[in-house]
Amino acid sequence: MLNRRRMQIGAMVTALGVAVAMAGCGNGGSDDDGGDAGTEANAGTPVTIDYWGWVPGMQDLVDEWNEDNPDIQVNYSAQSAGDDATFSKITTAAQAGDAPDLVQADVKWVTSLLQYAQDVSDEAGQYEDNYTAGAWSNVSLGGATYGLPQDSGPVVMYYNKAKFDELGLEVPTTWEQFGATAQQVASQNPGTYLAGFSSDDVENLQSYVQQAGGQWWAIDGEEWVVDVTGEESLKVADFWQGLVDAQAVSPTKRWDPAFYNELANGQILSVVGAAWQAPLIADNAAATAGDWAVAPAPQWEEGAEVSANNGGSTLLVLEGTEHAEEALEFANWLNTNVEGLLGLGLFPATQGAEIATPENISEYFGGEDVYGLLAEASENIETPWLFPPTYGDLSKELTDGIAAVTNGETTLPDVLAGFQDSSLSAFEQADINATPAG
């Protein structure tokens, strides 16, 4: 299994190397596949796009497209979820030459799936202005584009306003204030926490680093640069380690049902989290409907407006398709269908679109324009974040490391130091060029 994984990653390096080389020529390179297909559809010959995704209810939007577009029919196949099993199914199908034309890919998977993706720079370029720069960076690597963004996870702060008022707390606008408030809450109200710091949501920690301006993995020319222990990362690590040492944050795991019980019971007062958290909080802590509100994420500098991204997905065009142009036409219709995506619980990655807060979310958060604030946050993501093709195994190591932090067995700065070494080793074992940040 491990050897197969290494082979996959090694092949991906070749794909990325090609992409980088092509960037120097300023050329996409998928004319052979997309051009013929476009002619076929434009001539009135119907084509069928095979599309795999996992969002419940997606078939309804596909049906809407199919009804209005008889020449480009989409055959949707619902997958179990955006999990490891789905990732394995995609890679197995691609290796067997039986991959769909279009596949939904978690942003964490993009570089791992790049070896199976098709360079559609020529066909996709016309759609770039429809999407935020941060989301576009998830599908455009090494100067080549492989698909379109679908949804994103801009980060804000959800908080229990009723409990804040009851305890006389001000909403923190800086991380310094956030830390002081966390210690105040924990010391004056044993068993109650301003927020949690859990081991099963390692992407949350990465979003904190991204907001601070850190970037653990980046591509420079034809090699990866690893900077897990940069200044910004250590600043974030020291901050959260201080709160863990002071027992000022809840260690309850993010995906444990107890997490929502603590939100509903007023034991955890806030969540600095992504767009997708809003409906989850509303659905799973329904007893506190109307008590909650939303605010921008705390800042490292007073007056700043920097956000980050946690989660989201893309639609990648896979290698071998004969209908890249039509696949992208459908993908752009779907991913700019703001009302449709919101109805499925996805926060669109579109740029400049009016994104109305769904009524149930507005009611839960005291009538506030939650999605309006999220849209502003999505425009304020200053630092890109790229997951490496070795991320699958690395994420497990980081999860274990943070669990050891919450158990008092090590410190977060030490975990990051080890993770820097592991990141470099993973690249080396996969025969991928990588270097530590200078």
Side-chain angles (χ1 to χ4, degrees):
M1 182 68 179
L2 180 58
N3 288 336
R4 189 178 72 177
R5 176 72 172 164
R6 288 174 178 170
M7 291 173 64
Q8 294 169 355
I9 294 170
M12 176 269 171
V13 178
T14 302
L16 185 57
V18 170
V20 172
M22 294 175 73
C25 300
N27 182 23
S30 57
D31 291 343
D32 291 345
D33 296 309
D36 291 346
T39 301
E40 185 179 358
N42 292 335
T45 303
V47 300
T48 298
I49 304 299
D50 288 325
Y51 163 38
W52 290 7
W54 64 77
V55 179
M58 182 61 73
Q59 184 65 58
D60 292 340
L61 292 182
V62 172
D63 290 343
E64 181 182 337
W65 165 271
N66 284 340
E67 184 175 351
D68 294 339
N69 297 274
D71 290 341
I72 305 176
Q73 292 290 285
V74 176
N75 179 29
Y76 178 64
S77 177
Q79 306 303 302
S80 59
D83 55 15
D84 290 346
T86 300
F87 176 85
S88 297
K89 184 176 180 181
I90 295 170
T91 57
T92 299
Q95 290 165 5
D98 194 28
D101 302 278
L102 198 63
V103 65
Q104 183 182 10
D106 189 296
V107 294
K108 299 191 298 291
W109 299 351
V110 171
T111 57
S112 297
L113 291 174
L114 208 59
Q115 59 186 303
Y116 309 117
Q118 183 160 304
D119 180 353
V120 290
S121 300
D122 287 348
E123 296 88 346
Q126 63 182 308
Y127 303 121
E128 179 175 355
D129 290 344
N130 294 341
Y131 303 95
T132 63
W136 188 258
S137 69
N138 289 322
V139 295
S140 188
L141 303 167
T145 302
Y146 299 90
L148 298 179
Q150 178 156 89
D151 67 297
S152 64
V155 171
V156 296
M157 177 177 174
Y158 308 101
Y159 67 99
N160 188 329
K161 183 176 184 302
K163 290 294 293 186
F164 267 56
D165 292 344
E166 176 186 328
L167 299 178
L169 303 176
E170 297 288 335
V171 178
T173 59
T174 67
W175 285 111
E176 182 178 6
Q177 294 171 9
F178 185 95
T181 302
Q183 300 210 36
Q184 175 188 345
V185 169
S187 63
Q188 296 180 1
N189 307 274
T192 300
Y193 302 96
L194 176 61
F197 184 76
S198 62
S199 62
D200 61 344
D201 190 9
V202 295
E203 279 80 36
N204 216 31
L205 171 64
Q206 294 172 60
S207 72
Y208 297 152
V209 172
Q210 181 188 19
Q211 189 213 18
Q215 191 177 17
W216 285 358
W217 305 284
I219 298 173
D220 183 10
E222 296 188 7
E223 68 180 5
W224 286 79
V225 178
V226 180
D227 191 21
V228 179
T229 52
E231 177 182 354
E232 299 85 0
S233 300
L234 293 180
K235 177 172 67 176
V236 172
D238 287 338
F239 174 82
W240 286 101
Q241 184 63 51
L243 293 182
V244 170
D245 290 343
Q247 299 182 344
V249 286
S250 169
T252 300
K253 291 185 177 181
R254 172 64 184 79
W255 297 105
D256 189 311
F259 175 79
Y260 290 109
N261 291 336
E262 293 183 13
L263 290 182
N265 295 335
Q267 294 172 269
I268 297 179
L269 307 184
S270 73
V271 175
V272 180
W276 46 266
Q277 304 244 32
L280 288 179
I281 295 171
D283 289 344
N284 293 285
T288 52
D291 290 347
W292 286 72
V294 64
Q299 301 291 310
W300 288 103
E301 294 184 12
E302 183 72 57
E305 298 178 342
V306 183
S307 187
N309 186 74
N310 181 353
S313 65
T314 66
L315 294 189
L316 297 181
V317 178
L318 297 189
E319 191 175 38
T321 180
E322 297 180 350
H323 308 300
E325 183 176 343
E326 289 88 348
L328 287 167
E329 183 178 346
F330 162 72
N332 185 65
W333 172 86
L334 176 64
N335 296 347
T336 58
N337 187 341
V338 172
E339 185 175 348
L341 292 182
L342 289 175
L344 301 183
L346 301 178
F347 189 80
T350 51
Q351 177 173 244
E354 184 174 340
I355 301 177
T357 302
E359 185 175 351
N360 66 314
I361 300 298
S362 178
E363 289 178 356
Y364 186 87
F365 288 93
E368 295 203 349
D369 184 11
V370 178
Y371 283 25
L373 185 63
L374 287 166
E376 291 179 15
S378 69
E379 302 284 352
N380 293 326
I381 298 173
E382 297 183 350
T383 305
W385 192 271
L386 186 62
F387 291 91
T390 53
Y391 186 69
D393 293 332
L394 288 172
S395 68
K396 295 180 178 63
E397 178 180 329
L398 187 58
T399 296
D400 292 342
I402 296 179
V405 171
T406 58
N407 291 333
E409 299 167 1
T410 186
T411 67
L412 193 51
D414 284 346
V415 168
L416 295 192
F419 198 59
Q420 166 83 5
D421 294 338
S422 298
S423 292
L424 289 166
S425 296
F427 279 121
E428 182 178 2
Q429 292 174 17
D431 292 329
I432 299 175
N433 292 332
T435 185

